[in-house]
Amino acid sequence: MRMTILDIQKMKERGERIPMITAYDYTSAQIADRAGVPMILVGDSLGMVVLGHSSTVPVTLDEMLHHIKAVVRGSQRSLVIGDLPFLTYTSVEQAVASAGRVMQETGAQAVKLEGGVSAAPMIARLVELGIPVMAHIGFTPQSVNQIGTRVQGRQSDAAAQLIADALAVEAAGAFAIVLELIPAELAAAITARLRIPTIGIGAGAGCAGQVQVWHDLLGLYSDFSPRHAKRYANLADQIGSAVASYASEVRDGVFPGPEHSATMPEGALRAALDQGE
Ligand code: KIV
């Protein structure tokens, strides 16, 4: 049975911290699901970590749908949340159309969108129509060209705005909210004021849950790791040396060995060659 947003709310109420991880394909979804991660986010961070863009801005809804479908196929228990990409929820009507495609075409159980007070009307309508919404405030990557990549809400006015944003998305019916790159004490204060779980990334330990990007957590970049990420493996190095070993075994004629090859019954090849002559 898949997790539902009601299970996530119960985890919050029981004081259980909620892990979430991003995944973008069938295989990684299967690994995250089997590891018991309750929520998988198909983030538009795929624009950077999978598609090689410098931000999430170029990601399209069709690209998101393609990856969300694969993650849904790869998972059985985790709640799958599909990100709505840049400029696909600029009005209530457009948000309904975009979120509707995610829900109907991919089988995801929820959508995520960026924004606080200004996103509340979209969130309210989606929730009214039966579409669970995760909100996302603080550093909102789709606005990188406007706000840069830096901690949000350090000063009191900006912090007050983020508190208002969090309260607005909860009132609009969001089932959870991502807090990205905000000071730890502000994230803890927002968490204490909300009934719904806060899921932090670069927002300290006082959130109800945490989210990390698959590639950051697994060290899939050998040369880059954001400050808020913790590497639990160094897969770029391990994969790099596995691929180099494969390439050198092919060059040296070591791979494939007899154990990787099929053979014919004795005499069958001779008979085939004779027939062909
Ligand atoms: O797109 C993404 O992966 C995200 C997370 C970093 C929260 O929005």
Side-chain angles (χ1 to χ4, degrees):
M1 280 275 287
R2 261 198 209 273
M3 298 288 289
T4 67
I5 62 167
L6 305 177
D7 297 319
I8 300 299
Q9 183 60 33
K10 280 189 206 137
M11 287 177 77
K12 149 88 196 322
E13 282 159 17
R14 288 195 295 262
E16 278 174 53
R17 292 209 176 80
I18 307 163
M20 177 162 95
I21 191 166
T22 68
Y24 313 97
D25 62 23
Y26 175 83
T27 313
S28 51
Q30 210 171 41
I31 294 170
D33 190 80
R34 289 181 184 165
V37 178
M39 293 199 284
I40 300 179
L41 170 67
V42 190
D44 60 356
S45 50
L46 79 85
M48 285 104 87
V49 301
V50 176
L51 302 178
H53 295 301
S54 59
S55 78
T56 60
V57 170
V59 177
T60 66
L61 185 57
D62 284 334
E63 286 169 339
M64 289 306 304
L65 296 172
H66 179 75
H67 288 269
I68 300 167
K69 284 180 198 170
V71 168
V72 170
R73 287 194 289 265
S75 58
Q76 292 177 332
R77 271 192 51 74
S78 309
L79 180 81
V80 176
I81 301 138
D83 237 347
L84 295 184
F86 187 52
L87 299 186
T88 62
Y89 50 96
T90 59
S91 65
V92 168
E93 293 68 28
Q94 194 194 21
V96 171
S98 304
R101 288 196 68 194
V102 171
M103 301 298 285
Q104 290 193 303
E105 294 180 32
T106 72
Q109 291 83 52
V111 299
K112 178 170 83 59
L113 53 77
E114 296 181 5
V117 171
S118 64
M122 284 66 125
I123 296 172
R125 184 63 182 140
L126 294 179
V127 171
E128 196 171 63
L129 292 171
I131 301 178
V133 181
M134 176 178 275
H136 182 160
I137 66 168
F139 170 63
T140 44
Q142 292 170 12
S143 306
V144 64
N145 292 307
Q146 185 95 12
I147 62 178
T149 309
R150 59 192 161 94
V151 175
Q152 303 292 308
R154 275 195 206 274
Q155 306 304 327
S156 54
D157 283 358
Q161 180 59 53
L162 286 173
I163 293 169
D165 284 333
L167 292 171
V169 299
E170 175 173 90
F175 76 93
I177 177 171
V178 170
L179 304 179
E180 180 160 359
L181 283 189
I182 69 171
E185 56 271 54
L186 174 60
I190 290 175
T191 302
R193 275 174 179 67
L194 296 187
R195 189 186 49 82
I196 59 171
T198 54
I199 309 294
I201 176 163
C207 297
Q210 297 291 325
V211 56
Q212 287 280 289
V213 169
W214 182 264
H215 294 59
D216 295 340
L217 186 114
L218 296 175
L220 280 167
Y221 295 111
S222 48
D223 48 358
F224 172 72
S225 182
R227 178 174 164 201
H228 58 261
K230 178 168 175 185
R231 275 191 184 187
Y232 289 83
N234 272 310
L235 292 194
D237 294 346
Q238 285 183 39
I239 293 171
S241 66
V243 172
S245 301
Y246 158 71
S248 96
E249 287 200 355
V250 170
R251 282 187 206 104
D252 297 345
V254 174
F255 177 83
E259 69 278 27
H260 306 114
S261 311
T263 53
M264 297 171 77
E266 207 169 323
L269 178 59
R270 182 69 263 156
L273 293 171
D274 290 347
Q275 275 177 40
E277 277 165 10

